Amino acid sequence: MTRLARWAKGAAVNRVVMHDWCEEVFVVSGSLSIGTLDARSDAVRLPAGTYAVRPPDIVHGPFFSEDGCLLIEFMYYPPA
């Protein structure tokens, strides 16, 4: 699946996630941060132009977007 995901200013996923598919993410505009809003000083900020790849079964997150962002996401199952 390929999708555009728009995160509003202050949007957050406050838990870690894991899934059995591959995921590629490109930050088109704005920024996405790895961490929590409560601990934003420790967060890792991913600015526009950042590309990230997560193989299946990798724990990742939580995430938030302080200023909002637009992501393009590619999600697929690894070849058999």
Side-chain angles (χ1 to χ4, degrees):
M1 177 173 74
T2 302
R3 70 178 177 181
L4 285 172
R6 184 176 307 276
W7 287 43
K9 181 179 179 178
V13 174
N14 293 318
R15 57 182 168 68
V16 297
V17 295
M18 186 174 75
H19 39 71
D20 63 347
W21 59 83
C22 299
E23 180 179 49
E24 299 178 51
V25 177
F26 181 78
V27 183
V28 177
S29 63
S31 66
L32 182 68
S33 294
I34 304 169
T36 64
L37 282 164
D38 291 338
R40 67 178 54 125
S41 63
D42 296 325
V44 175
R45 185 175 176 272
L46 308 176
T50 300
Y51 171 76
V53 178
R54 293 182 194 93
D57 304 317
I58 297 296
V59 175
H60 53 289
F63 301 101
F64 68 92
S65 183
E66 211 160 21
D67 54 350
C69 65
L70 178 65
L71 310 172
I72 185 165
E73 300 175 327
F74 306 95
M75 294 165 272
Y76 53 91
Y77 286 96

